[in-house]
Amino acid sequence: MAHTPMTDVLIVGAGPVGLSAAAELRRHGASCRLVDRLPARLPYAKAVGIQPRTLEIWDRMGLARTVIETAVPLRGQLIYVNGTEQARIELMLPPEVPYRFAALPQYETERILEEHLAALGTVIERGTELLSFTQDGDGAARGGGSAGGVTSLLRTPSGGEEELRTRYLIGCDGAHSTVRKGLGLSYEGGAFAEEYMLADVVSDWDLPEGYGLRSMHQGVDGSTDDVLVCIPLPGRGRYRMSMLVPPELSAQPAGGPAGGSAGGPGAGDGVLHGLEGGRVPELSHIQAVVDRLAPAPATVSGMRWSSVFRISHRIVDRYGDGRVFVAGDAAHIHPPTGAQGMNTGIQDACNLAWKLALALRGAGGPHLLASYDAERRPVGEEVVGRTVRHATQGIDKEPDDLRTVLLREAQLLVGYRDGPLAGTPFGPEDAPQPGERAPDCSGLTLPLAAYPARLLDVLRGRAGHVVLLYGDDGAALAEAAEQARAAGPALAEVAEEGRAEGGAEGGSADGATGPRTVVVLAREAALDASAGLPAPVPGYRDAAGEFARLYGADGPTGFLVRPDGYLGARFPLSGTAAALSGYVALLSTP
């Protein structure tokens, strides 16, 4: 049996969630290994919706441009009942939101993430399966310290076994997760009785470009007995279609419902979710449903793949135990309504990665790692409940106005204001507060640039926390910037090679001892107000007044932006040192 040196984190499962976790860990300076039992990426367009909030996170990672050059926009949805158009939902968001709804096949999402991760020096170890794991040491119970670790047993592509020692383990290994089972986490919920077909095909209808379709047949009692859902994909006339399975294609064997997915690990574990084994739908099966439910005659062709799948709704009782965590489908599964699953999982991964990176540097205590469950499990519970409700009742039954519904579907309303890392509110009650999303804004100018920048442009590529200081008094801004630099290494960016847990203090790649600091000059400030800022603190001017408006900055105010794009603190400019010290103390609570 082979033995390898200590690695920071082992990630099991190289889908979009595992790839995102690995990319974020590498960006924050942690070492990791990413293993997947499959020998190659699957060519399936399973998860296809990309939410605006995910694009914001990918922007911070430097990925958004590649995605939006590859994906297609989702402009709206047409809803038909018994052949008559009942609604046309326009997927409109406020103008200050930088990205719109998009569609991209999961295999393309994985390709982009895989190439991004390879550029960071980490490749997927394919054909490698996690067999078992154990965690040990006091650190296992407390979630920190250098004494503990995780020992994992892997089966390699050659059939041999490798024992791997890591500080932490993340299970991104899907609905039948080996990691979840190894932790003994409960996975409560249920399954939908219906079976569905998925297919990636071309249709020659003349639906408006960028619009999805939901067409249903309802009986006299109002119940739906036939449904066709189509999401546009890149390529002329190409759609991911889903529909009910005809009896002859049912994946249920004679003895009862199928368990597990297509012969993968966990088959027979009672979790009925994902692609099933059995007969594969043919083009004629898809055409028959289109003939019944399409709003106009259409012919389907060019089928790339098809499958039968099942839907369950489940969530774990906790998102981790000691040094082992779960994310994505390993933690929560639910109907695909609204394209929430993959996006929720990616945001799980990004929430966890920066916290693990800080813990590995000795800069975060058990309170920090426990905040992963405290922040993300309520989000998972809400998503599971909402998608089940939408699948059974329809999104049009939501009591909120359409603007709120779309912001929620875009995952722009996710926040942690009641979480354990949210500091004391400051400023106007309706302004963004600690734990809430840090909004983007435009109209930031620099003397050397002939074009305005967005806040996302300023944050892009910066791995750690960023302090934003707003005001019009150059001397006060310079003093606050000096205080921010003294906040300590806990909030600094880290060099690419990272830091060993409990080892030397981290620092930023540019040698700064504190977090990256950016000054935003009020619209009315004199042009030379930033002249006294300490190097290398940049000074942008809020030329359009958008920063002040969207952040509710009605006076000199400071903001700490977490690595995942949420506010960690909001404070008066004169209280910069105290606010950042308080936040650092919160992260390192024993």
Side-chain angles (χ1 to χ4, degrees):
M1 181 183 298
H3 296 266
T4 55
M6 176 77 81
T7 300
D8 287 338
V9 184
L10 171 64
I11 302 167
V12 181
V17 178
L19 286 162
S20 295
E24 278 293 85
L25 283 166
R26 294 296 295 119
R27 192 168 75 95
H28 290 292
S31 64
C32 66
R33 288 179 60 179
L34 175 60
V35 302
D36 195 288
R37 68 177 183 84
L38 296 175
R41 187 187 318 125
L42 294 175
Y44 303 147
K46 294 186 293 180
V48 298
I50 307 293
Q51 300 297 347
R53 180 59 185 150
T54 300
L55 287 169
E56 289 184 350
I57 289 174
W58 282 344
D59 191 308
R60 186 87 182 262
M61 295 168 61
L63 268 172
R65 184 180 67 182
T66 304
V67 174
I68 62 177
E69 288 177 349
T70 310
V72 295
L74 289 179
R75 296 188 170 92
Q77 184 182 55
L78 308 175
I79 299 176
Y80 281 78
V81 176
N82 295 345
T84 302
E85 183 175 331
Q86 298 294 313
R88 179 177 294 225
I89 299 175
E90 303 291 341
L91 299 179
M92 301 294 293
L93 293 169
E96 62 266 18
V97 176
Y99 294 110
R100 299 298 180 250
F101 297 89
L104 189 67
Q106 183 171 327
Y107 55 81
E108 280 291 275
T109 299
E110 291 178 1
R111 176 188 64 79
I112 291 170
L113 285 166
E114 186 176 344
E115 291 175 356
H116 176 76
L117 180 60
L120 296 174
T122 298
V123 297
I124 302 171
E125 299 177 43
R126 293 200 176 275
T128 302
E129 182 178 359
L130 174 70
L131 299 177
S132 63
F133 64 89
T134 58
Q135 55 179 320
D136 57 80
D138 291 342
R142 295 196 304 268
S146 58
V150 183
T151 302
S152 299
L153 183 62
L154 304 175
R155 178 180 291 131
T156 66
S158 66
E161 293 183 351
E162 175 189 351
E163 190 175 85
L164 176 65
R165 183 76 172 160
T166 59
R167 303 290 189 192
Y168 297 99
L169 168 64
I170 308 176
C172 305
D173 47 344
H176 309 286
S177 170
T178 298
V179 175
R180 184 187 66 246
K181 295 170 187 174
L183 279 180
L185 304 180
S186 70
Y187 202 40
E188 298 301 322
F192 284 79
E194 299 85 0
E195 293 176 296
Y196 296 85
M197 295 187 292
L198 277 182
D200 181 344
V201 296
V202 172
S203 177
D204 64 356
W205 54 34
D206 59 354
L207 291 183
E209 185 178 353
Y211 281 76
L213 170 69
R214 181 179 180 87
S215 182
M216 299 166 284
H217 180 271
Q218 294 182 345
V220 293
D221 62 351
S223 62
T224 299
D225 54 24
D226 207 0
V227 63
L228 170 66
V229 178
C230 307
I231 305 296
L233 298 177
R236 184 175 179 83
R238 184 161 290 280
Y239 291 83
R240 201 284 308 274
M241 296 186 176
S242 59
M243 59 210 73
L244 292 172
V245 167
E248 69 269 20
L249 277 182
S250 174
Q252 296 188 24
S261 60
D269 63 3
V271 179
L272 308 179
H273 192 81
L275 303 183
E276 297 283 351
R279 294 182 59 189
V280 175
E282 298 178 359
L283 195 61
S284 59
H285 295 108
I286 310 303
Q287 184 66 62
V289 180
V290 170
D291 288 343
R292 293 197 305 268
L293 294 177
T299 301
V300 294
S301 61
M303 185 163 68
R304 287 176 174 162
W305 69 275
S306 64
S307 180
V308 173
F309 76 104
R310 296 291 303 269
I311 298 173
S312 288
H313 49 94
R314 294 175 181 265
I315 189 165
V316 292
D317 56 331
R318 59 196 188 281
Y319 273 31
D321 185 8
R323 292 176 171 267
V324 184
F325 305 88
V326 290
D329 284 0
H332 47 78
I333 53 176
H334 43 80
T337 314
Q340 301 294 293
M342 179 184 71
N343 293 272
T344 301
I346 288 171
Q347 291 168 51
D348 291 341
C350 293
N351 181 288
L352 178 59
W354 72 266
K355 297 172 181 178
L356 285 177
L358 280 184
L360 286 161
R361 293 164 54 206
H367 185 68
L368 173 61
L369 296 184
S371 73
Y372 170 58
D373 176 85
E375 290 185 342
R376 293 303 301 173
R377 190 154 54 93
V379 174
E381 290 172 342
E382 190 277 331
V383 168
V384 171
R386 172 160 44 94
T387 54
V388 169
R389 187 170 65 250
H390 288 176
T392 55
Q393 302 175 15
I395 192 172
D396 55 319
K397 299 297 191 297
E398 281 290 304
D400 295 317
D401 61 273
L402 181 59
R403 180 181 183 276
T404 301
V405 168
L406 292 179
L407 288 171
R408 186 179 296 119
E409 293 292 300
Q411 301 193 338
L412 295 169
L413 300 183
V414 171
Y416 316 121
R417 193 163 177 174
D418 297 325
L421 300 185
T424 304
F426 170 74
E429 198 171 300
D430 59 349
Q433 296 292 344
E436 296 183 348
R437 165 181 168 264
D440 187 35
C441 68
S442 61
L444 302 179
T445 61
L446 281 170
L448 286 177
Y451 55 89
R454 304 191 68 95
L455 184 58
L456 279 176
D457 299 329
V458 177
L459 298 176
R460 186 178 303 122
R462 290 174 171 162
H465 290 74
V466 176
V467 176
L468 303 175
L469 302 175
Y470 174 84
D472 59 4
D473 185 312
L477 289 166
E479 171 60 26
E482 289 289 0
Q483 292 180 22
R485 285 171 59 85
L491 300 183
E493 292 184 67
V494 294
E496 185 175 326
E497 66 271 14
R499 296 289 185 268
E501 180 177 31
E505 290 184 342
S508 74
D510 64 5
T513 58
R516 290 299 297 263
T517 302
V518 176
V519 163
V520 180
L521 294 165
R523 188 175 188 175
E524 301 80 12
L527 290 173
D528 60 354
S530 62
L533 296 178
V537 175
Y540 288 82
R541 188 177 185 189
D542 185 22
E546 280 202 17
F547 183 91
R549 177 175 65 86
L550 294 172
Y551 278 77
D554 55 358
T557 310
F559 307 85
L560 180 66
V561 181
R562 298 179 358 173
D564 55 359
Y566 290 87
L567 290 179
R570 179 188 176 112
F571 46 89
L573 206 61
S574 59
T576 298
L580 298 184
S581 296
Y583 180 78
V584 170
L586 191 63
L587 299 185
S588 56
T589 299

